[in-house]
Structures are given as structure tokens and as C-alpha cells.
Amino acid sequence: QVQVVESGGGLVQAGGSLRLSCTASRLTFDDYALGWFRQAPGKEREGVSCLSTAGITYYIDSVKGRFTISRDNAKNTLYLQMDSLKPEDSAMYYCAVASSEYCSLSWASRQRYNYWGQGTQVTVSS
């Protein structure tokens, strides 16, 4: 069965950086759009970013200019570089594999993703 695993979370001070990674077994990332979501306590899970197989990226407004999504197909790994972190970025971050190669305008809809990781916690202190 497909397993998606995130890593790289942790505790960081405001203004700091973290890089999240995501890998999968029994699935090749090359063929799918990939996304990052996050969920803070008491809040809905929200889409943070999406990267299509063609390299087209999408971000929510609150992270534009601070976060960068990328992939290394040779390593079957997805990344999320997070810079200038803010306390409001604190959440559990999830990697997700879309059902197609496209992100599309509905990229932030959870229904577009078939596989999910268990999440990695990011905590930003003020």
C-alpha cells in the first residue's frame, strides 16, 4: 500500500526557517501534482501550496513570498521551504498526493487528493 511520510517539522523562533520533506513508497511522485496542507488546533485543514507536474505552483496568500514548494523527482521527494516563519504558521503540516498531474484552481480542496501523510508538527514561538 502507498505510504506518504513527512519530516522536518520542529520548534523555531519567529523569523526562522524550516524545510519540510515528504516521500512516498509504492508511488512515483513524477506523475502527480503534490500539495501541502496544514491544520491548527480548532481550525479546518487548509491548503498551503500545490505543485503540478509541469512545475506550476499555487500558494495561499498568507505564505506567498515566504514559502517555496519544490520537488526532486529523482529522490521522489517533495519539499516545502518555509522562511520568515510567524506564530500563525504553527500547525500540523500534511503532504498530499493529488489524483492528477494538475493542481487547477481547486487545488486547495481536500477532495482532489488521494493520499495523505500523517503530518509533521511545526511550532513557531514569538
Side-chain angles (χ1 to χ4, degrees):
Q1 65 188 38
V2 173
Q3 283 191 318
V4 178
V5 180
E6 305 93 338
S7 62
L11 173 64
V12 64
Q13 288 188 330
S17 298
L18 283 174
R19 188 177 78 159
L20 306 183
S21 299
C22 172
T23 61
S25 60
R26 301 180 183 270
L27 182 145
T28 303
F29 277 176
D30 307 35
D31 300 329
Y32 302 97
L34 304 170
W36 286 100
F37 285 71
R38 66 186 181 187
Q39 187 169 17
K43 294 188 176 181
E44 293 289 319
R45 190 173 299 190
E46 66 174 354
V48 174
S49 182
C50 184
L51 174 61
S52 74
T53 58
I56 299 171
T57 58
Y58 297 81
Y59 298 93
I60 53 170
D61 287 345
S62 60
V63 307
K64 285 180 180 177
R66 300 188 298 119
F67 290 12
T68 304
I69 190 171
S70 63
R71 67 166 80 200
D72 185 334
N73 288 337
K75 295 181 178 180
N76 208 40
T77 301
L78 174 72
Y79 301 101
L80 184 68
Q81 178 66 42
M82 305 186 296
D83 299 320
S84 301
L85 282 161
K86 303 175 180 181
E88 52 264 42
D89 294 318
S90 297
M92 186 71 80
Y93 282 71
Y94 298 91
C95 172
V97 182
S99 57
S100 78
E101 60 194 284
Y102 308 107
C103 292
S104 84
L105 294 179
S106 61
W107 66 270
S109 169
R110 295 174 58 180
Q111 285 68 37
R112 287 190 49 82
Y113 298 84
N114 287 337
Y115 300 105
W116 294 79
Q118 293 299 306
T120 185
Q121 179 68 42
V122 171
T123 303
V124 184
S125 63
S126 57

